[in-house]
């Protein structure tokens, strides 16, 4: 079968011809429909995130996938059922986090991540997975279901955010999303029913398709070159919730300035090392005197995928049509990984339902 | 009556003779038994925290008090009942935070604080307070009840910490308390039944009464000159919970290094401005990849006082005997505010039950 992979020593993906996988006991075999590309894929290509499966000199990419069950192989799944696979898998011997269904809380070194760290991804004509890591989705999600995985990360981040504010009366009215990539835009759309006013920060010139989407969501675009995060609260209003999806390390600390009293900032970006100055005394003091919180959040578990599925069903069609901007065949892999400001979510399509 | 106050332009407290307060409708009149001294009192004296009551050229100090009801004045309290007053009071016109019983969540500028910010404290022979801000305590707490207020801050901080970890399986085994002042030691004692192993960081040489208490609590003393917070996890073990009570701004960020995956650091110190370098990229990344949380927490509300009262009842007598180290009369105010490493909690005693 064809697979999109990166070979040892290479930094760009290519189509490789490999044997189709055979499902083990408890695993189903899926025929792949679509796989989304995101920033983590580029980090895998650069070699700055994750690592190859043990013993292999290539890694199949892709962790945002939709497949159709080709062979249930004795599992409870039915042939023809559409599924989204989760990403994390237990290393040899499993561990407590997987046993209690919370692989997202497993610390680094205690999990593999398909398509990212130590395990092949889903960017191939077929993939296998234990049935317990497959989330059934409706047939109507054949094209958009690749958004369930990124959305599940937001579901988890918001769940942690709200729980951190659950012992007092907290009714967030305003949200600031840092980053106008696909995850930022999905989050902005998901927050539409939660807050009254939302803002999305980016650094793009008009005309720009992400700015158009932000404004069609009735949110306010914040150009970070004109209004840095540190000035957001003064120029607009303090935000009850800040969602960081830029991976720009200074944003983690500047979030304290953008937050309203009793607000929570949730961080999802994964920056490289970067030493810089902060007014650590002032930020510490403001965290305390205004009861602010900063939370890190990574990955998600089955419950978050289930909830993301419901969220996806609520997103307007126009939004979904405009967020998946580019669809390529596996053979067009070079173009698919080119990137560009006119692209939001790019997918590789292996087949249709 | 006699009161311990700081006058405008002065930076040390003195005994002043003023009229005893008269209770308004809804207020009771208390005869003061004891008032504790803490770090905030010294900040008030320096003029770096809070401010005088409007129109007055002096401020009565003290916010950790025990009084006995002298005149219920038509409230539900009974004469002779012991009470601990809370600190925050609504400014003119009140606001939503006070109305829903969460003055601790009121942002700066929307509250007065007795003995600290815009309102007289309790360090006087008599004080008045609306009954709703008085927490009845048993007669047995006449001497130790001044600990209820600081303990209530820890109750709130832990409540927020636990709620932030409540959507996944979290059973903290280890705690690190930063600071071996009275609040740090009280917290260490309160955590005794919550975690299996606890550590308390200070910078004192032996022999030292706080180190003795730490070790008699079966906790481990961590000398920050030998083991800085950044090295704590390697030298000892990562902490599920870090409680910061030093006001040393770098500790807020170093806490990320000391935390175990999925851990929470709660900050209570109130540092001055201080600009310094951090590896903001690495800390941001660790917050995210290890699902760590940093929370600021200030003050407390009635429910926390009630819970602190129960916690106080569980603290061993030997601990209480050794944490209140010095008792002075109001006339000994100069000595009372002298400080020193042999002192833990100093109180001014106006009377006995």
């Amino acid at each position: 079968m064809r697979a999109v992979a990166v070979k040892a020593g290479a930094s760009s993906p290519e189509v490789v011809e490999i044997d189709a996988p055979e499902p083990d006991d408890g695993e189903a075999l899926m025929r792949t429909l679509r796989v989304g590309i995101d920033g983590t894929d580029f980090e895998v290509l650069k070699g700055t995130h994750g690592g190859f499966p043990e013993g292999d000199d290539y890694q199949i990419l892709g962790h945002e996938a939709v497949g159709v069950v080709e062979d249930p192989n004795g599992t409870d799944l039915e042939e023809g059922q559409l599924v989204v696979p989760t990403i994390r898998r237990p290393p040899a011997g499993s561990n407590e986090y997987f046993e209690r269904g919370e692989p997202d809380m497993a610390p680094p070194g205690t999990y593999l991540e398909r398509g990212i760290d130590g395990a092949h991804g889903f960017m191939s004509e077929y993939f296998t997975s234990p049935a317990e890591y497959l989330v059934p989705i409706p047939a109507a999600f054949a094209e958009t279901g690749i958004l369930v995985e990124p959305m599940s990360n937001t579901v988890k981040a918001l769940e942690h955010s709200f729980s951190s504010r659950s012992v007092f009366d907290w009714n967030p009215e305003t949200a600031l999303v840092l980053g106008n990539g696909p995850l930022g835009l999905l989050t902005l759309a998901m927050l539409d029913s939660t807050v009254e006013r939302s803002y999305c920060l980016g650094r793009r010139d008009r005309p720009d398709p992400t700015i158009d989407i932000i404004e069609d969501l009735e949110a306010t675009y914040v150009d970070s070159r004109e209004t840095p995060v540190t000035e957001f609260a003064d120029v607009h209003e303090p935000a009850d919730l800040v969602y960081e999806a830029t991976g720009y390390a200074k944003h983690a600390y500047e979030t304290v300035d953008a937050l309203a009293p009793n607000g929570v900032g949730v961080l999802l970006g994964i920056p490289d090392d970067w030493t810089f100055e902060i007014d650590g005394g002032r930020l510490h003091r403001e965290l305390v005197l205004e009861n602010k919180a900063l939370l890190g959040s990574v990955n998600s578990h089955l419950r978050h995928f289930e909830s993301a599925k419901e969220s996806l069903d609520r997103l307007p069609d126009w939004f979904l049509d405009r967020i998946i901007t580019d669809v390529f065949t596996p053979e067009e892999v070079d173009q698919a990984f080119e990137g560009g400001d006119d692209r939001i979510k790019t997918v590789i399509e292996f087949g249709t339902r």
Side-chain angles (χ1 to χ4, degrees), chain A:
Chain A
M1 68 171 185
R2 291 164 303 159
V4 173
V6 57
K7 287 186 177 168
S11 60
S12 50
E14 59 190 285
V15 176
V16 296
E17 187 66 34
I18 54 172
D19 292 339
E22 297 201 12
D24 281 337
D25 280 357
E27 290 190 332
L29 174 72
M30 271 63 62
R31 179 169 64 83
T32 308
L33 299 186
R34 287 182 161 196
V35 185
I37 295 173
D38 86 348
T40 304
D41 297 312
F42 288 95
E43 290 167 14
V44 170
L45 289 172
K46 274 197 297 182
T48 57
H49 195 130
F52 281 24
E54 208 178 311
D56 282 345
D57 57 358
Y58 68 97
Q59 179 167 34
I60 302 175
L61 297 171
H63 56 275
E64 300 175 349
V66 171
V68 55
V69 176
E70 174 97 356
D71 177 5
N73 191 37
T75 66
D76 287 342
L77 291 161
E78 290 194 9
E79 191 183 331
Q81 171 69 53
L82 259 57
V83 294
V84 169
T86 66
I87 300 179
R88 288 197 173 172
R89 296 292 179 274
S94 192
N95 60 51
E96 56 174 320
Y97 300 99
F98 287 87
E99 281 156 21
R100 60 177 175 246
E102 293 177 348
D104 56 313
M105 303 309 290
T110 66
Y111 55 78
L112 309 176
E113 285 185 333
R114 294 200 61 169
I116 303 170
D117 197 358
H120 287 302
F122 307 114
M123 218 174 260
S124 53
E125 284 179 85
Y126 296 92
F127 67 87
T128 57
S129 171
E132 66 190 286
Y133 298 120
L134 296 170
V135 182
I137 59 168
F141 289 179
E143 296 190 344
T144 56
I146 54 112
L147 300 174
V148 169
E149 190 281 325
M151 289 173 73
S152 74
N153 293 317
T154 294
V155 168
K156 171 183 165 174
L158 296 181
E159 184 188 74
H160 280 229
S161 300
F162 275 78
S163 83
S164 80
R165 315 282 82 187
S166 63
V167 284
F168 60 93
D169 193 79
W170 191 65
N171 297 300
E173 291 182 3
T174 51
L176 168 63
V177 174
L178 303 178
N180 57 344
L183 187 59
L185 295 175
L186 282 165
T187 301
L188 196 68
M190 291 165 73
L191 284 168
D192 203 31
S193 55
T194 306
V195 295
E196 289 169 32
R197 293 175 304 284
S198 53
Y199 300 82
C200 188
L201 179 126
R203 37 188 303 124
R204 298 274 195 95
D205 294 317
R206 297 167 198 269
D208 176 82
T210 68
I211 300 175
D212 291 341
I213 289 177
I214 292 166
E215 293 178 345
D216 287 344
L217 286 169
E218 293 178 7
T220 302
Y221 172 61
V222 180
D223 187 330
S224 64
R225 297 164 299 185
E226 289 167 17
T227 308
V229 177
T230 49
E231 291 172 25
F232 171 80
D234 287 337
V235 172
H236 297 282
E237 58 181 327
D240 295 309
L241 174 73
V242 175
Y243 179 101
E244 178 274 321
T246 58
Y248 182 76
K250 285 188 178 175
H251 283 166
Y253 311 93
E254 293 171 355
T255 285
V256 178
D257 286 319
L259 283 174
N262 308 332
V264 54
V266 63
L267 313 175
L268 284 87
I270 303 177
D272 295 331
D273 289 358
W274 183 18
T275 297
F276 49 77
E277 280 196 340
I278 59 169
D279 185 346
R282 187 179 60 78
L283 293 177
H284 179 170
R285 186 173 69 244
E286 289 189 8
L287 278 164
V288 173
L289 288 180
E290 302 196 351
N291 290 291
K292 292 178 178 178
L294 284 183
L295 311 176
S297 179
V298 69
N299 204 261
S300 56
H301 62 245
L302 270 180
R303 185 162 43 81
H304 307 125
F305 276 74
E306 291 292 346
S307 176
K309 202 166 77 176
E310 290 163 28
S311 293
L312 178 60
D313 201 34
R314 285 194 294 268
L315 294 184
D317 288 340
W318 70 261
F319 175 82
L320 295 170
D321 288 343
R322 283 162 58 187
I323 200 158
I324 299 180
T325 48
D326 296 82
V327 181
F328 292 101
T329 66
E331 285 66 31
E332 295 170 318
V333 61
D334 289 349
Q335 285 162 268
F337 277 84
E338 251 168 27
D341 273 4
D342 55 333
R343 292 200 185 164
I344 302 175
K345 178 58 79 180
T346 298
V347 303
I348 293 188
E349 187 167 75
F350 284 85
T352 55
R353 195 161 65 87

